[in-house]
Amino acid sequence: MKAHKLKVTVPEDHQLEIRLPDDFPSGPAEVIVLAGPAQENSRRDMLLVLDELRTLQRTDEEERVLDEFEQFRQEHPFNLSSLTDER
């Protein structure tokens, strides 16, 4: 079985044209289209959650943990920039 994954943006007319690589075998195949969550809704929902989080009061224990984590980060720096999103 051979598979080919392709990121696309569905246009307003809802029609897609898909071109497969030359080495893709001819013959019967199955096409599956997966739609992710609407980005606008996700972004809006995330902003609502962030607004709610800003209003929460931290306990003394939470403040202590955050302070200790900041100290840990300074003592043990790490860099995540080498990680890439291979979508």
Side-chain angles (χ1 to χ4, degrees), residues 1 16 25 49 69 79 81 86-87:
M1 176 182 277
L16 296 175
V49 169
F69 180 68
N79 185 347
S81 64
E86 296 184 18
R87 288 189 216 180

Side-chain angles (χ1 to χ4, degrees), residues 35-45:
Q39 288 185 354
E40 286 303 316
N41 290 340
S42 297
R43 187 175 298 142
R44 186 189 73 236
D45 293 344

Side-chain angles (χ1 to χ4, degrees), residues 2 4 20-26:
K2 183 149 180 150
H4 181 70
L20 298 171
D22 291 338
D23 66 343
F24 203 88
S26 59

Side-chain angles (χ1 to χ4, degrees), residues 30-65:
E30 183 176 353
V31 176
I32 300 173
V33 179
L34 302 173
Q39 288 185 354
E40 286 303 316
N41 290 340
S42 297
R43 187 175 298 142
R44 186 189 73 236
D45 293 344
M46 186 169 301
L47 289 173
L48 291 172
V49 169
L50 287 173
D51 284 342
E52 183 178 336
L53 287 173
R54 287 187 182 112
T55 64
L56 296 177
Q57 295 291 338
R58 293 188 192 121
T59 65
D60 291 339
E61 175 74 5
E62 290 169 330
E63 288 291 344
R64 183 183 63 76
V65 169

